[in-house]
Amino acid sequence: MNYCSHCGHTLSVRIPDGDTLPRHVCGRCGTIHYQNPKLVVGCLPEWEDRVLLCRRAIKPRYGLWTLPAGFMENGETTAEGAARETLEEANARIEILAPYALVNLPDIDQIYLLYRARLLDLDYHPGQESLEVDLFHEHEIPWAQLAFPTIEHTLHQFFQDRDSGHFELHTADIRY
Ligand SMILES: [Zn+2]
């Protein structure tokens, strides 16, 4: 961040009065430009005993498989964001079931909130950000070609929980 989004003046990095951390502060209008973690919302869509994955058509991790997820937009709820991302990436309609994974990624300033979801029909196809969309049984999951540690962690947890017949919200902290 180099310029003030309010007045266009250059920014400097300093600790404002009464604060404890360095911030980008405008030298002209005094606006403090706070930077806070971003929330990534998404879901784990199920169809009978298979789960839906998308193969990424965008960087980073082009060509690798992931669950539908993306940055939350202003004006939507987390569940709405998860459903929107699923529609955008897989053209898939879902029913959100319950929050399933809350994963802190403090090294990249992100938090993932993934829901369990039920796929409503099989009329899905890749959106612009996906090369392929497909359903996978547990033994078919491309474990070596998953895009993100968060996704691998969540899928492992999901199959463990499914075996035990008991799902609950899991939290995890992943550091790179
Ligand atoms: Zn300014």
Side-chain angles (χ1 to χ4, degrees):
M1 192 179 287
N2 295 317
Y3 298 100
C4 179
S5 56
H6 286 260
C7 75
H9 199 268
T10 52
L11 300 173
S12 60
V13 176
R14 63 181 181 83
I15 301 176
D17 291 344
D19 205 338
T20 54
L21 295 172
R23 312 285 183 188
H24 289 84
V25 182
C26 178
R28 181 154 66 197
C29 75
T31 299
I32 303 169
H33 297 270
Y34 295 96
Q35 292 179 300
N36 302 98
K38 285 190 162 65
L39 188 61
V40 177
V41 290
C43 67
L44 197 163
E46 301 168 58
W47 177 268
E48 296 170 350
D49 58 349
R50 291 181 290 171
V51 300
L52 181 138
L53 298 177
C54 303
R55 197 155 79 86
R56 290 171 64 83
I58 52 171
K59 290 180 179 176
R61 317 292 165 90
Y62 179 96
L64 299 182
W65 292 90
T66 189
L67 293 167
F71 291 115
M72 193 174 173
E73 299 285 1
N74 293 338
E76 68 185 5
T77 67
T78 50
E80 286 167 352
R84 175 184 53 74
E85 287 291 341
T86 308
L87 192 61
E88 285 177 7
E89 295 178 7
N91 288 291
R93 284 143 300 279
I94 53 162
E95 175 194 0
I96 295 280
L97 298 176
Y100 184 61
L102 180 67
V103 182
N104 288 294
L105 299 160
D107 296 331
I108 55 170
D109 305 320
Q110 293 179 5
I111 302 122
Y112 269 68
L113 177 59
L114 299 171
Y115 286 85
R116 286 178 55 227
R118 190 173 68 86
L119 201 55
L120 294 179
D121 56 64
L122 293 176
D123 183 24
Y124 57 79
H125 58 273
Q128 284 201 336
E129 296 181 359
S130 304
L131 298 169
E132 286 178 76
V133 177
D134 213 343
L135 289 170
F136 293 86
H137 289 102
E138 180 176 5
H139 68 271
E140 298 168 331
I141 297 280
W143 294 106
Q145 282 111 40
L146 294 178
F148 304 105
T150 308
I151 302 305
E152 185 180 348
H153 176 83
T154 302
L155 284 169
H156 275 302
Q157 195 73 64
F158 172 79
F159 291 117
Q160 260 182 45
D161 284 359
R162 197 177 67 178
D163 288 346
S164 74
H166 180 69
F167 292 101
E168 61 182 35
L169 176 67
H170 294 278
T171 61
D173 302 335
I174 295 179
R175 292 188 179 272
Y176 287 109

